[in-house]
Amino acid sequence: MISTEGYTWYDKNKRLCLLIKVKPGAKKTAVIGTIDVKTIYPVKKALSISINSQPEDNKANLELINLLSKELNIPRSSLILDKGTKNRVKVICIDGVHL
């Protein structure tokens, strides 16, 4: 199970969001740990995740959603790729988790 302490926040729609930095094209898909990042978001750390898929045809994003669904034990349909569809730094929000 992933610990989300230190890199989660609630957005203006009061959804729980995660800042994630992905490394596509890795040997295996796995959660690596956390990494310091400089972004406009109200957190200073991102969850670092390696993804086996290449960043083409949305494959890496789908694999990321599948991994998070499994690790967080929530349905894939609850995870929303809010920002970063074509970027390595992504914002994933969890639908249905509110303040």
Side-chain angles (χ1 to χ4, degrees):
M1 182 74 147
I2 301 171
S3 169
T4 57
E5 185 176 334
Y7 47 93
T8 60
W9 81 95
Y10 285 92
D11 72 358
K12 64 184 174 189
N13 297 320
K14 297 185 179 176
R15 298 177 301 183
L16 179 68
C17 296
L18 299 169
L19 187 62
I20 297 171
K21 184 165 186 182
V22 297
K23 297 179 182 181
K27 289 185 179 182
K28 67 177 186 173
T29 297
V31 177
I32 299 169
T34 60
I35 187 169
D36 292 332
V37 291
K38 292 182 181 179
T39 68
I40 61 170
Y41 304 110
V43 292
K44 302 298 179 209
K45 290 192 176 288
L47 185 62
S48 180
I49 296 178
S50 62
I51 299 292
N52 180 257
S53 296
Q54 294 296 323
E56 53 194 36
D57 299 326
N58 211 30
K59 291 177 187 174
N61 289 333
L62 293 174
E63 192 168 335
L64 173 64
I65 295 294
N66 287 334
L67 174 69
L68 290 173
S69 172
K70 179 181 172 187
E71 290 290 326
L72 296 172
N73 197 27
I74 58 176
R76 287 188 312 263
S77 60
S78 295
L79 296 167
I80 300 163
L81 179 55
D82 194 53
K83 305 275 187 211
T85 304
K86 296 183 179 185
N87 195 323
R88 289 184 184 215
V89 177
K90 301 177 183 299
V91 174
I92 304 282
C93 294
I94 304 171
D95 194 35
V97 177
H98 301 282
L99 286 173

